[in-house]
Every structure is written in C-alpha cells, then in structure tokens.
Amino acid sequence: MKTEGQSKSAASSVSDVGAWGMNIVSSVGLIMANKQLMSPNGFAFGFATTLTGFHFTVTALVGLVSNAAGYSASKHVPFWELLWFSIVANMSITGMNLSLMLNSVGFYQISKLSMIPVVCVLEWILHSKRYSKEVKMAVGVVVLGVGVCTVTDVKINAKGFLCASVAILSTSFQQISIGSLQKKYSIGSFELLSKTAPIQAVSLIITGPFIDYFLSGKLLSDYKLSTGAFFFILLSCSLAVFCNMSQYLCIGRFSAVSFQVLGHMKTVCVLMLGWMLFDSELTVKNILGMALAILGMVVYSWAMEVEKQANSKAITHMKDNFSEEEVELLKQINIDTSLKNVALGDSKV
C-alpha cells in the first residue's frame, strides 16, 4: 500500500520524465526541421535570427490565447526584469549565430560544452551553490564524451572568440535567470514564457533581418517562399513552442546545470538521426564519444539521486531536533546560513 508521500513522489517522477521527454523530442525535431528548411539542399532559408523571431511570435500568440481562455494565470513580474531577461536571451541567440559564422565547427562545439562549467561557476558566485565530487566527475565525463564525438577541427580568431564568450555568458545567465525568476515571483514556467516571448518576438522580428543580412549577405525580401518552405516554417514554429515550454519547465523543476548536462542527450540523438536520415558519417570515434556521454549522464543522474536522499535525511534530522515553530522562524529570519543550506540540499565539497 503506497503512502501519500510515495504517490506524490511517483507522480513527480512521471512529470520529470515527461518534461525531459518533451524537451528532447521537440528539440531534436526542431533541429531536423530547421536543417531541412535552412540547408542549401533543402529550402535554403538562411535567416536563422528572423526564424527565431517567428518562433517567439507563435509562442507569444499561444500564451495570449491561453491567458484569454483562462488556462493559465497571469502573475505580476516587473517589466524591467522581463526586459533585462529578453535582452540577455537575444544576446544569447545573436551571439550563438555569430559564433557559428566566425568560428570553426570544432571551436563552436567547444564553446557550447563550456557552458556547463560556466553555469556551475555562476551558480556558485550568484547563489553560493556547491557540487559534490560525484556530480563534478559526471559533468567532466559528459563534457569529454560529447567533445570526443562532436569536436573536429579547432581554429580560433579574436572576433569569433569574443562572440563565443558573449554567447556563453548570456546563455548561462539566461538559463539561471529562468529558474530564479520562477522562484522569486512564484510563477509557472509557461506563465513566465508568455511574458518574455512577446518582448523577444518584437525585438527579433525588427532586428533579425538586419542581423541575418550581416551573417549571410542575403535580404529576406529577396527570398522566394515556396509551399514547402512555408510548411517547414510552420512546423519549425510549432516545435519551437514545445521546445521553449519544455526548456522553462525543465529548468524550473531541476536546475540550469541539470538542463545542460542531460540536454546533451539531444546531441547524441541528432548524431544518430543524422546518420539514419541524412547519411551523415558515423565513425568509431563518434560511437565511443556518445557511449561516454551517456555513461556520464547516467552517473550524473545517480549522483543527483544520492544527494537528494542525503538532503531528505538532513531535513528529517533538522525537523526531529527543532519544533515546527523554530524551523519556520529560522527560515523566515534567515539567521543560520549553514542550516539553510542543509534544508535546501546544498552539498559541500
């Protein structure tokens, strides 16, 4: 006979798996659709920033309809915080596109992998969060595995390095901010997305064509839109809604670090699908790298579960030694930082 706590835990686990599943499926589907839409062998729609503007426009419309229909509640978040978040998020998108244009594919992949340690350092600086040796080891294994199967030629130049640095920092800040804003204003993932999407949509629709012209030398107005291209734009926008929703949901439920680590499962899936659908080469080096990355993800999941169980015991011990009134008082006045870290489940190195 299951207790109420066990039932809630099981329901939470199902929700966690659902969130990750939606993110992986929608992200991989989005990458495949964009590859067909943007590749020269497909529909050659080489306007990545403008396309992202389309994505957020559709996401904003979905949020507007949801709020109007009463499916989601609208909570107040100061406009300046939404604006700051949107600026950082747009810097992330633009920086990534510029980094891909100015750097070799190998250095671009390395810059993406470096986001995991950067997020860890930023969370340590901003939130005093610490990680166990097991978690650090797992992160290292994932980074090594994905690096082995994706990094090839590595060429560095000053402009490319600057753009990559901006992209890494802004993306890391954005992902940490998603979780922070949700906790600060007790707002759900979809509600937060509904508030930031319109700002990003307007700014990217306005600036996107100019950025894309700088990147590709092509004008959006010169593109001849076919029925097939229009279908894939709609498909890309639809998948982007689920991708954006699941990203906010996953970071809200877990953390920016977990999102980065387990998110590399998408890299493995893309490599596999590229081999199956687009005849991409799959070498022994790729296979070994993917196996190593998956091993790291398994170890990371195990390490986080161990920390979770240890934290649960620590909270139980705290409740046994203090009355409910004392525990509540400690939480409210925040006079004992070390005790608070135990309650929140921070792991000391």
Side-chain angles (χ1 to χ4, degrees), residues 31 53 59 130 164 182 184 300:
I31 291 169
T59 302
R130 298 179 182 274
Q182 288 186 49
K184 184 176 181 180
Y300 180 84

Side-chain angles (χ1 to χ4, degrees), residues 66-247:
S66 177
N67 287 333
Y71 291 118
S72 58
S74 181
K75 293 186 179 180
H76 176 70
V77 179
F79 178 75
W80 71 268
E81 291 219 50
L82 297 175
L83 181 62
W84 165 249
F85 175 86
S86 299
I87 290 172
V88 172
N90 288 351
M91 285 176 62
S92 166
I93 294 165
T94 305
M96 280 296 183
N97 288 339
L98 288 171
S99 176
L100 183 59
M101 181 188 78
L102 296 172
N103 293 311
S104 65
V105 175
F107 185 73
Y108 175 74
Q109 290 293 344
I110 287 177
S111 67
K112 287 180 68 178
L113 288 172
S114 67
M115 285 181 197
I116 299 178
V118 169
V119 169
C120 290
V121 171
L122 286 176
E123 287 202 324
W124 172 63
I125 294 172
L126 298 174
H127 303 302
S128 301
K129 190 169 184 178
R130 298 179 182 274
Y131 300 91
S132 66
K133 290 184 288 186
E134 291 81 5
V135 170
K136 292 176 182 177
M137 178 185 69
V139 167
V141 173
V142 171
V143 170
L144 179 62
V146 177
V148 167
C149 64
T150 60
V151 177
T152 52
D153 60 314
V154 179
K155 297 177 183 177
I156 304 174
N157 62 79
K159 288 183 179 179
F161 181 80
L162 177 62
C163 289
S165 299
V166 170
I168 293 165
L169 287 173
S170 56
T171 302
S172 301
F173 268 120
Q174 180 219 7
Q175 293 185 355
I176 291 172
S177 297
I178 289 173
S180 298
L181 286 173
Q182 288 186 49
K183 292 174 183 176
K184 184 176 181 180
Y185 296 103
S186 300
I187 188 171
S189 54
F190 184 69
E191 286 75 23
L192 179 60
L193 178 60
S194 298
K195 289 181 177 296
T196 57
I199 303 173
Q200 289 186 253
V202 171
S203 56
L204 288 173
I205 288 294
I206 294 173
T207 62
F210 298 100
I211 296 172
D212 289 330
Y213 178 73
F214 175 74
L215 291 172
S216 64
K218 298 177 182 178
L219 289 171
L220 180 64
S221 56
D222 292 338
Y223 183 77
K224 294 181 180 180
L225 186 66
S226 64
T227 304
F230 182 70
F231 169 78
F232 271 92
I233 289 174
L234 288 180
L235 177 62
S236 178
C237 290
S238 301
L239 289 168
V241 173
F242 290 101
C243 185
N244 288 329
M245 285 173 57
S246 58
Q247 178 188 4

Side-chain angles (χ1 to χ4, degrees), residues 141-150 268 271 283-297:
V141 173
V142 171
V143 170
L144 179 62
V146 177
V148 167
C149 64
T150 60
V268 174
L271 288 172
T283 64
V284 174
K285 175 173 168 282
N286 294 142
I287 296 171
L288 289 175
M290 286 189 286
L292 192 59
I294 292 172
L295 175 64
M297 292 174 204

Side-chain angles (χ1 to χ4, degrees), residues 328-347:
E328 187 62 33
L329 182 62
L330 286 171
K331 287 180 180 179
Q332 287 177 356
I333 63 178
N334 194 21
I335 59 172
D336 192 336
T337 304
S338 62
L339 182 59
K340 182 180 177 185
N341 283 340
V342 171
L344 292 175
D346 287 342
S347 174

